[in-house]
Amino acid sequence: ARGEQPAGVIEAKQNSARKNATLLSPQWCTWGEQMVMKKDGNRLDQAALEQFFSDLKSSGLRAKLFSIDDQWEGKYGSLEHSAARLPQFEDFLEKLRSNGLRIGMWAAFMRSEDPASLGLTEKHMLQKTDGSAYYLDDGDSKWYLLDFTRPEVAEVLRDRARKFVRRYKPDLVKFDFEI
């Protein structure tokens, strides 16, 4: 890859000033508090998010980015918030913005608890050597791993990601992955 840029095969990525400022700004992430308050997994709710924000404001920390971690989604792979647990989620995001904070959101792009809801089947999931779909159970959620090398899966992921970004307008998307 080192020779491709000077040869003109690929262009050097140029971030906007806003993107660089977001990437370098002090971040406060919900993950630690979710664990302490036992609001990890599908136990994250509106009251917890509101408490996290209130505690951050009163702490004196000068975070510029409020990052919402695991399980804001109704189901992994939906890239839509849980309306049942987070009924004022979009209002909460606006409250963060009106308080001068940028928004980070963790997303599970490669996971799906319900492939059928995405128009996919188990055949679109990563497959084990025996041909069965790769399926994980972490105790809170059971989910498949999408095979994004399949064109139809890549199209679904592209569409879901676009809708996610347009709806929630995150300044930063946190994507890490473990199995």
Side-chain angles (χ1 to χ4, degrees):
R2 290 183 193 172
E4 292 172 344
Q5 187 177 337
V9 176
I10 60 172
E11 292 183 31
K13 177 144 175 32
Q14 298 295 318
N15 291 336
S16 68
R18 178 169 170 76
K19 186 174 202 174
N20 284 336
T22 298
L23 292 170
L24 297 172
S25 64
Q27 177 183 165
W28 187 87
C29 181
T30 64
W31 181 247
E33 287 298 305
Q34 284 179 253
M35 300 306 287
V36 168
M37 292 177 63
K38 301 199 181 329
K39 293 293 183 174
D40 56 314
N42 59 15
R43 292 175 290 276
L44 179 63
D45 58 22
Q46 193 73 43
L49 277 182
E50 299 290 346
Q51 186 65 52
F52 299 159
F53 177 61
S54 176
D55 290 349
L56 174 63
K57 280 178 52 174
S58 65
S59 74
L61 291 173
R62 295 183 190 159
K64 301 286 185 197
L65 178 71
F66 188 101
S67 186
I68 302 167
D69 213 293
D70 190 30
Q71 282 289 356
W72 59 269
E73 289 178 273
K75 291 182 180 179
Y76 280 135
S78 70
L79 295 178
E80 294 179 354
H81 72 278
S82 169
R85 291 182 289 110
L86 303 164
Q88 290 91 36
F89 188 69
E90 290 172 283
D91 292 337
F92 179 76
L93 297 179
E94 286 309 312
K95 180 172 27 175
L96 294 176
R97 288 183 185 103
S98 69
N99 277 269
L101 290 166
R102 293 182 179 158
I103 296 169
M105 295 174 71
W106 180 85
F109 291 103
M110 293 174 52
R111 296 180 185 178
S112 178
E113 288 182 57
D114 184 10
S117 70
L118 303 175
L120 301 172
T121 69
E122 287 189 22
K123 294 293 180 195
H124 296 105
M125 305 300 112
L126 285 180
Q127 304 291 306
K128 297 179 189 174
T129 55
D130 68 3
S132 64
Y134 198 82
Y135 184 77
L136 294 152
D137 182 346
D138 70 4
D140 284 323
S141 303
K142 298 175 175 115
W143 36 274
Y144 296 90
L145 296 175
L146 299 172
D147 182 354
F148 59 88
T149 65
R150 295 174 173 265
E152 58 275 30
V153 176
E155 185 176 328
V156 166
L157 282 173
R158 240 185 331 271
D159 180 58
R160 300 299 309 155
R162 280 188 188 115
K163 287 178 181 175
F164 159 69
V165 169
R166 287 179 182 141
R167 181 174 185 180
Y168 301 110
K169 300 172 189 72
D171 297 288
L172 175 95
V173 176
K174 178 183 175 202
F175 174 72
D176 53 15
F177 193 76
E178 62 183 68
I179 52 175

